[in-house]
């Protein structure tokens, strides 16, 4: 079938290749740099004031070398690296020794996944709908007003925007908790008090991701729709006196949505990075905060693990979106 | 002159032009600064704003007004290095891919797609963790340049493809001389506006990442930049201590800078190409 | 006398463009006078860019910025009543679409919503114009009609990109005639098709017109098509109708020098001499020459042509023309 050959296979190849290239890069970048993670770790320990006698340093170097998978030639290391990855083994965290990295990631993942999925879904959908309607009625006052508003919000980087929300609603008007994923000491359960507590904690990080996301999707959708307004099939529908509501929903939004699906696939990595940064601002207990702690403690293995894991996760997400795309575009489905 | 007059009709251009002029004037004051913003406790610490210290001093005994001037200058240096150097990757990649097509195109676009798809932020963090103490302004700029080229290469390549479709000359492939040179000669005039518009976006992205990395403590913290100013304000609990001016100075400066750069990019690219606006999808979803 | 279905009076519709503060006015429809009759095929011919499509837009009352109707009126004669379309509200006008005036587009390639099946497109048109129960009825009729036009019934379940060009154009014609409109506006309905398919599609349009006894306003720059199907022809040049007459007259005794060029450029059977095309290039509608807009290209140009626009006069009862030469002939004859 043409669809499989032209659409499916290239995407699967791309999937495997991106993972391969990405992880290989992650493996080699540190090895090509002049710094040595083992020496670094020891220097870090020293700078924290620990006294280390020469013998224990030697022992430590050996330990660390083994732990970081730095034994043997680069090639041996590389092979061993992949072997461990396939076993789901990312090594152990150095500063939460000897907890395996994968276990830390597993604990943090649900928070990030929940935050990311919910906010992306809301932001994407709302942005598409708003942008679609505003793009169709782009000569109206309210549509232009939204434009100006988007112009102000859009350029904010994740960190700065999250930070402004934190200042506004955490300190000036302290309406929401500013840190953590749930109140300390609360036991996770399927009860309303716990769920509402989680939602309250998620509110500010979610809001900052949603507002930035909606703005961006709004703008791109509005641009697409403004061009679609001139498309033959929209003009024809108007010429044919089709009701405006129908034109907006079935003609304009339905078609304008397609490039946004592709864009979502292309941008999911950046959205993910944004979520990590936002988590850091609000010390939300997901991968972002895990990463932050890893950076602060110089936990090289953990940073590596998060990076490799994220590459696989995001590439997979992209593959899933790409595979869903034909459901929305019959031109790909039947060709 | 006429171009400038036309551009000034756009409120966004006018506003960004004015803001940028003010910020540039402010940052150039740093060349006449009476203080060295890297020297701690040369003056009294934690002073509120006064006629002597316009924005007060911070807990390290550094004048906030003057370190703001240095911060803008330094953040702009990072941005310019990242922006300009990334052009040296963007332009050849886009030209080769768009011009040669076929396998070259596929390979180059695969590479740039991989850059788009992979969570670059994490890779940059990984790198920054390893070279932390060597991460000066210029190295940071260079590092970001290595990562900030991919999106633009894609945008410029598709512009070249559409130029080719519209039949803007095909001589080079036959004549056999250096592809790159010919591609540059033929397409550069047409894509220069795009190169410029995307350059501004990369600059804004670089400034944003500089701030993020600085707050994570991943660059040299004694250089005053917008990011390091925020880092110190946070690490001294400026909010809890009620020293708003300390934290708000870098925050407001960076917000102004982001808006100005974005509006400049949007308005100038709309001016250059009113129909198919260049303002594309990924610019500020970038982390 | 034949009944009139559509009239324009001194119709002026310009594109008002603001290119970074500089005003540009494209005079695409300039003082057009038309009286189009019931049950006729009225052809409009002219070079590319002379304003044909824009004229059709104003006739169909789809005037949207940057296009502006500056002067004049478009009048529909609905059940004997004269209705100035500019006085209609959005909803009233929306109802008239497809029920009174419908449209066959130039290329059917991109006019059908690419992401829904044809039956959904049909539903969109029907549900926007027909109320309640008769919707089902209309849809059933539509399917019967499709079969009648020689299209397989399964195409209702197909997506536009799955049809051939000719099929798609038939589908749009079927759509345009679905609600039996009084006027069908067709903008180059066959230019995108290959020659053999073209003939079939034109024949289809003609058959439908015969059956419905309605009016088709047909734009094409193919004079051969006009010769075959049009009852009357208006020749358009630089936003103006410069000559109008019944088809035989346009071909047998064209009065305007521009029309003569158009006729002479038609290939004639057995004639191998190279075809004579109009010399020079069409004027920019944003910067028209003074006087008769054709004068820079006219082989018979007179002094007065450069100064003054000739009036649009009746050379005969059914033959109107705007050219100084013609007035002279009339003067001599009188
Ligand atoms: N949306 C628009 N904005 C500005 N100018 C326009 C627009 N549409 C058409 N024009 C201009 O108006 C003039 C008439 O265009 P129109 O499309 O009516 O010509 P036409 O006779 O239908 O040509 P063709 O045979 O190529 O279809 C042209 O000079 C064209 O450049
Ligand atoms: S008016 Fe003059 S210029 Fe115009 S067509 Fe007639 S003769 Fe030619
Ligand atoms: Mg046309």
């Amino acid at each position: 079938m043409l669809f499989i050959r032209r659409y499916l296979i290239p995407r699967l190849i791309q999937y495997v290749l991106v993972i391969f290239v990405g992880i290989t890069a992650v493996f080699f970048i540190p090895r090509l740099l002049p710094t040595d993670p083992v020496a670094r770790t020891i220097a870090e320990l020293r700078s924290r004031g620990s006294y280390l006698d020469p013998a224990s340093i030697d022992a430590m170097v050996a330990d660390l070398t083994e732990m970081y998978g730095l034994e043997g030639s680069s090639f041996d290391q590389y092979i061993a690296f992949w072997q461990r990855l396939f076993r789901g083994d990312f090594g152990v965290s150095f500063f939460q020794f000897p907890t395996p990295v994968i276990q830390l990631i597993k604990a943090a993942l649900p928070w990030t996944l929940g935050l990311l999925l919910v906010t992306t879904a809301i932001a994407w959908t709302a942005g598409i709908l708003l942008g679609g309607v505003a793009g169709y009625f782009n000569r109206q006052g309210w549509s232009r007003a939204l434009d100006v508003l988007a112009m102000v919000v859009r350029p904010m980087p994740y960190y700065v925007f999250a930070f402004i929300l934190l200042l506004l609603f955490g300190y000036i008007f302290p309406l929401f908790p500013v840190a953590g994923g749930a109140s300390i000491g609360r036991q996770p359960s399927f009860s309303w008090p716990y769920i509402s507590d989680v939602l309250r904690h998620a509110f500010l990080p979610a809001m900052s991701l949603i507002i930035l996301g909606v703005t961006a999707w709004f703008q791109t959708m509005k641009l697409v729709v403004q061009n679609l307004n001139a498309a033959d099939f929209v003009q024809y529908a108007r010429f044919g006196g089709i009701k405006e509501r129908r034109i907006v929903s079935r003609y304009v939004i339905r078609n304008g949505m397609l490039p946004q699906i592709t864009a979502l696939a292309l941008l999911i990595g950046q959205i993910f990075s944004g979520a990590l940064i936002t988590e850091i601002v609000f010390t939300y207990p997901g991968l972002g905060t895990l990463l932050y702690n890893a950076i602060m403690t110089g936990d090289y293995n953990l940073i590596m693990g998060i990076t490799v894991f994220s590459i696989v996760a995001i590439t997979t997400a992209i593959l899933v979106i790409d595979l869903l795309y034909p459901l929305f575009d019959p031109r790909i489905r039947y060709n | 002159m006429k171009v400038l007059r036309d551009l000034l009709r756009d409120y966004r251009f006018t506003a960004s032009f004015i803001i940028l002029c003010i910020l540039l004037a402010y940052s150039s004051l740093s060349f006449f600064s009476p203080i060295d913003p890297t020297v701690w406790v040369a003056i009294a610490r934690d002073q509120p704003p006064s006629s002597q210290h316009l924005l007060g001093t911070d807990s390290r005994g550094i004048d906030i007004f003057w370190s703001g001037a240095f911060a803008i200058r330094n953040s702009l240096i990072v941005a310019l290095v990242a922006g300009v150097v990334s052009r040296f990757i963007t332009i050849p990649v886009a030209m080769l891919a768009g011009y040669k097509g076929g396998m070259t195109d596929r390979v180059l676009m695969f590479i740039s797609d991989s850059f788009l798809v992979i969570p670059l932020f994490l890779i940059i963090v990984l790198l920054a963790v390893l070279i932390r103490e060597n991460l000066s302004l210029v190295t940071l700029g260079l590092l970001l340049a290595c990562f900030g080229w991919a999106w633009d290469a894609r945008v410029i390549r598709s512009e070249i493809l559409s130029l080719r479709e519209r039949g803007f000359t095909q001589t080079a492939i036959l004549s056999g001389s250096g592809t790159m040179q010919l591609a540059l000669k033929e397409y550069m005039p047409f894509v220069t506006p795009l190169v410029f518009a995307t350059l501004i976006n990369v600059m804004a992205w670089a400034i944003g990442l500089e701030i993020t990395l600085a707050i994570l403590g991943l660059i040299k913290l004694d250089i005053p930049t917008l990011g390091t100013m925020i880092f110190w304000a946070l690490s001294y609990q400026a909010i809890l201590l009620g020293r708003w001016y300390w934290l708000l100075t870098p925050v407001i400066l960076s917000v102004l800078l982001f808006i100005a750069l974005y509006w400049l990019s949007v308005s100038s690219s709309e001016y250059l190409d009113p129909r198919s606006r260049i303002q594309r999808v990924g610019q500020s979803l970038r982390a | 006398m034949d009944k009139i279905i559509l009239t324009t009076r001194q119709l002026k519709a310009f594109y008002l463009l603001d290119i970074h503060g500089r005003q540009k006015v494209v005079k695409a429809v300039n003082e057009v006078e038309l009286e189009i009759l019931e049950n006729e095929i009225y052809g409009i011919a002219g070079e590319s860019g002379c304003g044909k499509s824009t004229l059709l837009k104003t006739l169909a009352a789809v005037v949207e910025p940057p296009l502006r109707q500056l002067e004049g009126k478009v009048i529909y004669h609905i059940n004997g009543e004269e209705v100035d379309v500019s006085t209609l509200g959005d909803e009233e006008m929306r109802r008239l679409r497809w029920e009174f005036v419908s449209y066959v587009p130039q290329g059917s390639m991109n006019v059908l919503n690419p992401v829904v099946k044809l039956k959904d497109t049909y539903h969109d048109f029907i549900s926007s114009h027909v109320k309640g129960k008769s919707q089902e009825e209309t849809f059933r009729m539509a399917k019967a009609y499709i079969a009648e036009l020689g299209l397989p019934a399964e195409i209702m379940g197909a997506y536009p990109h799955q049809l051939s060009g000719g099929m798609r154009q038939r589908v749009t014609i079927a759509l345009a005639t679905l609600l039996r409109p009084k006027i069908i506006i067709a903008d180059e309905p066959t230019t995108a098709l290959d020659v053999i398919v073209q003939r079939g599609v034109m024949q289809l349009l003609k058959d439908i017109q015969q059956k419905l006894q309605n009016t088709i306003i047909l734009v094409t720059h193919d004079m051969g098509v006009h010769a075959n199907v049009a009852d009357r022809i208006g020749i358009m040049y630089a936003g103006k109708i410069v000559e109008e007459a019944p088809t035989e007259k346009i071909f047998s005794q064209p009065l305007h020098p521009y029309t003569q060029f158009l006729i002479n450029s038609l290939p004639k059977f057995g004639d191998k001499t190279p075809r004579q095309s109009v010399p020079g290039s069409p004027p920019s509608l944003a910067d028209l020459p003074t006087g008769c807009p054709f004068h820079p290209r006219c082989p018979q140009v007179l002094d007065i042509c450069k100064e003054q626009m000739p009036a649009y006069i009746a050379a005969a009862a059914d033959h109107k023309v705007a050219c100084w030469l013609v007035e002279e002939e009339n003067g001599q004859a009188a």
Side-chain angles (χ1 to χ4, degrees):
Chain A
M1 230 175 92
L2 213 56
F3 169 72
I4 294 181
R5 225 182 46 217
R6 282 260 188 81
Y7 190 85
L8 212 59
I9 303 225
R11 258 142 261 257
L12 287 171
I13 294 177
Q14 172 119 2
Y15 174 69
V16 174
L17 268 180
V18 168
I19 290 186
F20 175 76
V21 171
I23 290 180
T24 305
V26 170
F27 175 84
F28 279 109
I29 287 172
R31 284 169 176 79
L32 293 178
L33 286 178
T35 40
D36 171 2
V38 176
R40 271 211 61 113
T41 310
I42 290 173
E44 195 107 351
L45 282 178
R46 278 221 177 99
S47 72
R48 273 158 223 252
S50 337
Y51 169 76
L52 301 166
D53 67 74
S56 67
I57 286 184
D58 281 348
M60 208 154 188
V61 167
D63 273 359
L64 285 173
T65 308
E66 201 231 304
M67 198 179 91
Y68 286 142
L70 292 174
E71 285 164 321
S73 70
S74 280
F75 185 73
D76 293 340
Q77 291 175 25
Y78 183 61
I79 299 294
F81 183 72
W82 275 106
Q83 281 170 343
R84 284 192 290 131
L85 285 191
F86 274 113
R87 273 184 272 121
D89 175 6
F90 293 83
V92 293
S93 159
F94 187 59
F95 280 85
Q96 298 193 39
F97 197 80
T99 324
V101 165
I102 191 73
Q103 204 167 314
L104 293 173
I105 292 178
K106 269 188 191 153
L109 191 60
W111 297 97
T112 299
L113 215 54
L115 186 66
L116 191 64
L117 283 182
V118 172
T119 55
T120 307
I122 294 179
W124 191 82
T125 318
I128 298 280
L129 292 178
L130 256 180
V133 178
Y136 186 76
F137 295 107
N138 67 331
R139 286 178 213 288
Q140 312 234 325
W142 59 265
S143 172
R144 288 167 192 228
L146 281 180
D147 240 2
V148 177
L149 190 65
M151 275 284 155
V152 176
V153 176
R154 174 87 187 255
M156 303 292 156
Y158 283 98
Y159 200 102
V160 173
F161 191 76
F163 196 60
I164 291 172
L165 278 195
L166 177 79
L167 290 184
L168 266 180
F169 296 105
Y171 293 96
I172 301 181
F173 312 105
L175 298 175
F176 292 96
V178 295
S183 300
I184 294 164
R186 251 189 220 273
Q187 281 308 306
S189 65
F190 266 111
S191 62
W192 174 241
Y194 181 73
I195 293 174
S196 76
D197 186 56
V198 167
L199 289 180
R200 265 171 52 77
H201 277 82
F203 187 80
L204 284 182
M207 263 341 240
S208 72
L209 287 171
I210 289 175
I211 294 175
L212 282 180
V214 167
T215 313
W217 293 118
F218 166 83
Q219 279 196 328
T220 54
M221 181 69 176
K222 185 161 182 269
L223 263 183
V224 168
V225 169
Q226 278 173 0
N227 291 331
L228 267 183
N229 283 341
D232 290 344
F233 62 88
V234 176
Q235 293 283 334
Y236 181 68
R238 292 163 61 88
F239 218 144
I242 291 186
K243 290 185 178 150
E244 269 196 332
R245 244 203 233 178
R246 178 57 62 100
I247 297 185
V248 172
S249 62
R250 184 123 82 166
Y251 288 71
V252 163
I253 293 184
R254 183 71 178 68
N255 279 282
M257 190 179 92
L258 297 178
Q260 313 300 337
I261 299 177
T262 321
L264 181 65
L266 211 53
L267 292 177
I268 197 90
Q270 289 160 32
I271 297 172
F272 172 78
S273 302
L276 294 188
I277 294 168
T278 308
E279 282 182 5
I280 295 175
V281 176
F282 294 100
T283 28
Y284 199 73
L287 288 178
T289 302
L290 189 64
L291 176 73
Y292 179 78
N293 293 332
I295 294 170
M296 289 308 140
T297 52
D299 195 338
Y300 176 75
N301 247 6
L302 187 50
I303 299 177
M304 231 5 207
I306 295 174
T307 308
V308 169
F309 178 83
S310 307
I311 290 175
V312 177
I314 283 168
T315 330
T316 311
I318 291 168
L319 183 69
V320 169
I321 298 176
D322 272 347
L323 294 185
L324 289 178
Y325 181 82
L327 289 184
F328 298 94
D329 193 342
R331 282 163 298 188
I332 301 227
R333 206 158 62 225
Y334 305 104
N335 226 332
Chain B
M1 242 30 256
K2 212 192 67 43
V3 175
L4 191 64
R5 227 182 22 243
D6 284 344
L7 274 167
L8 286 172
R9 270 169 219 284
D10 188 336
Y11 76 95
R12 293 167 305 189
F13 184 83
T14 317
S16 58
F17 189 73
I18 294 172
I19 297 176
L20 278 181
C21 284
I22 294 173
L23 290 179
L24 281 178
Y26 176 36
S27 75
S28 58
L29 285 183
S30 63
F31 291 105
F32 312 101
S33 166
I35 64 141
D36 179 348
T38 56
V39 177
W40 291 36
V41 281
I43 41 178
R45 311 188 316 179
D46 297 325
Q47 301 282 304
S50 66
S51 60
Q52 219 191 341
H53 303 290
L54 286 177
L55 294 170
T57 64
D58 67 15
S59 305
R60 298 174 297 157
I62 293 172
D63 182 290
I64 295 171
F65 176 82
W66 291 108
S67 53
F70 278 97
I72 295 215
R73 186 175 102 191
N74 290 335
S75 287
L76 280 177
I77 289 175
V78 174
L80 267 178
V81 172
V84 172
V85 174
S86 69
R87 299 304 88 176
F88 288 99
I89 311 175
T90 300
I91 296 173
V93 168
M95 292 275 170
L96 274 182
Y99 198 76
K100 282 217 151 174
M103 207 53 206
T104 319
D105 183 32
R106 251 175 286 160
V107 170
L108 288 175
M109 281 306 107
F110 170 75
I111 297 174
S112 79
D113 275 358
S114 309
F115 268 81
L116 289 177
V117 155
I118 285 171
L120 278 189
F121 170 67
L122 283 169
I123 309 246
I124 293 174
V125 164
L126 189 69
L127 273 167
V129 166
L130 290 167
I131 50 180
R132 193 181 320 212
E133 51 281 311
N134 299 325
L135 217 47
S136 68
L137 295 179
V138 176
T139 29
L140 177 61
L142 289 176
L143 176 67
L144 296 183
C146 296
F147 292 99
W149 58 271
W151 184 271
D152 303 346
R154 209 160 214 295
V155 173
I156 294 169
R157 163 192 168 267
S158 53
E159 177 69 16
I160 289 174
L161 285 186
S162 82
L163 284 173
R164 267 181 70 160
E165 236 162 63
R166 280 183 274 155
F168 279 82
T169 57
Q170 273 277 2
T171 50
I173 291 171
L174 295 177
S175 63
S177 44
T179 324
M180 208 52 221
Q181 260 162 312
L182 275 162
L184 279 174
K185 213 166 85 194
E186 282 188 6
Y187 294 124
M188 217 38 211
F190 298 102
V191 298
T192 307
L194 249 176
V195 170
F196 175 72
T198 51
L199 166 74
I200 300 176
N201 292 319
V202 170
M203 287 176 59
W205 169 76
I207 295 173
L209 253 182
E210 184 276 316
I211 294 180
T212 309
L213 291 177
I215 294 173
L216 300 180
L218 290 179
I219 69 171
K220 262 193 180 155
L221 292 167
D222 49 358
I223 313 170
T225 65
L226 291 171
T228 55
M229 274 183 89
I230 299 179
F231 174 88
W232 288 114
L234 289 179
S235 64
Y236 277 93
Q237 306 286 353
I239 310 176
L240 290 181
L241 301 176
R243 293 190 235 293
W244 292 99
Y245 41 92
W246 184 4
L247 185 59
L248 281 187
T249 302
V251 170
I252 290 175
L253 285 177
S254 53
V255 166
L256 286 177
L257 197 52
F258 289 124
I259 293 186
L261 286 175
Y262 181 64
W263 288 11
L264 184 67
S265 148
V266 172
S267 57
S268 53
S269 59
E270 265 176 42
Y271 172 76
L272 295 165
D273 186 2
R275 267 162 310 156
S276 69
R277 300 196 247 170
I278 312 163
Q279 182 211 24
R280 307 273 160 122
V281 193
Q283 283 154 16
S284 92
L285 277 174
R286 284 175 146 168
Chain C
M1 202 191 134
D2 294 308
K3 279 213 220 140
I4 295 172
I5 189 85
L6 183 152
T7 316
T8 69
R9 303 227 175 90
Q10 288 297 308
L11 188 61
K12 271 194 189 180
F14 298 168
Y15 292 98
L16 302 184
L17 307 174
D18 181 326
I19 302 169
H20 291 286
R22 244 164 302 117
Q23 305 292 327
K24 198 174 145 198
V25 180
V26 179
K27 298 180 178 172
V29 173
N30 203 349
E31 297 174 348
V32 168
E33 297 270 336
L34 287 175
E35 280 190 342
I36 293 172
L37 308 176
E38 280 185 10
N39 191 14
E40 76 164 339
I41 297 185
Y42 187 91
I44 297 174
E47 281 166 302
S48 181
C50 70
K52 303 181 298 287
S53 296
T54 313
L55 175 58
L56 292 190
K57 279 188 213 165
T58 48
L59 294 186
V62 275
V63 179
E64 289 178 345
L67 183 62
R68 289 266 297 279
Q69 186 173 327
L70 295 177
E71 273 176 37
K73 286 179 181 168
V74 175
I75 295 164
Y76 291 169
H77 299 253
I78 305 172
N79 303 324
E81 253 180 80
E82 294 195 4
V83 178
D84 177 349
V85 297
S86 64
T87 64
L88 294 174
D90 285 351
E91 183 58 20
E92 284 170 303
M93 192 58 224
R94 190 186 73 72
R95 294 248 173 92
L96 284 184
R97 300 191 185 288
W98 246 238
E99 292 168 56
F100 182 78
V101 51
S102 77
Y103 169 72
V104 177
Q106 167 162 7
S108 54
M109 186 62 203
N110 299 316
V111 298
L112 298 169
N113 190 349
V115 294
V116 301
K117 293 179 176 163
L118 282 181
K119 65 173 173 228
D120 296 320
T121 297
Y122 267 85
H123 266 304
D124 288 344
F125 278 91
I126 292 171
S127 66
S128 295
H129 292 288
V130 182
K131 286 210 184 75
K133 276 206 201 117
S134 33
Q135 284 189 12
E136 288 299 307
E137 176 107 351
T138 318
F139 190 65
R140 229 171 298 124
M141 273 167 45
K143 281 204 273 198
Y145 190 39
I146 289 264
E148 207 179 305
L149 297 184
L151 292 164
E154 303 86 71
I155 64 162
M156 280 302 208
Y159 289 95
H161 74 271
Q162 295 173 301
L163 306 184
S164 71
M167 265 186 175
R168 238 184 276 129
Q169 193 61 302
R170 276 163 203 273
V171 168
T172 58
I173 289 175
L175 255 180
T177 49
L178 188 63
L179 304 175
R180 304 178 165 264
K182 288 286 181 209
I183 305 174
I184 299 171
I185 290 176
D187 192 356
E188 319 234 8
T190 57
T191 12
L193 306 174
D194 62 62
V195 188
I196 300 167
V197 183
Q198 262 184 28
R199 210 176 294 152
V201 168
M202 272 330 299
Q203 193 56 45
L204 179 67
L205 260 182
K206 211 176 165 179
D207 291 347
I208 290 173
Q209 192 271 335
Q210 298 252 300
K211 211 174 98 192
L212 297 180
Q213 302 277 298
N214 63 358
T215 301
I216 295 182
I217 302 173
L218 173 70
V219 161
T220 160
H221 48 235
D222 185 341
M223 290 305 284
V225 170
H226 281 304
N228 283 328
V229 300
D231 297 312
R232 289 196 299 150
I233 295 178
I235 304 292
M236 196 166 183
Y237 187 80
K240 288 174 182 288
I241 298 286
V242 293
E243 182 163 10
E244 175 193 274
T247 306
E248 330 76 74
K249 262 202 185 167
I250 284 284
F251 282 89
S252 59
Q253 35 178 305
L255 295 177
H256 198 282
Y258 176 64
T259 314
Q260 290 163 1
F261 274 118
L262 285 184
I263 306 297
N264 286 336
S265 66
L266 268 179
K268 290 190 194 70
F269 191 70
D271 180 356
K272 290 221 174 73
T273 53
R275 302 272 55 91
Q276 191 185 2
S277 62
V278 194
S281 53
S284 153
L285 295 185
D287 184 20
L288 286 174
T290 54
C292 171
F294 190 56
H295 84 251
R297 305 165 76 187
C298 181
Q300 287 146 278
V301 57
L302 309 171
D303 281 343
I304 190 170
C305 302
K306 297 173 189 165
E307 319 268 301
Q308 261 180 293
M309 177 65 208
Y312 190 45
I313 53 154
D318 57 359
H319 196 163
K320 286 188 183 171
V321 65
C323 171
W324 287 116
L325 293 171
V326 179
E327 202 177 39
E328 255 178 14
E329 275 175 13
N330 272 359
Q332 279 164 3

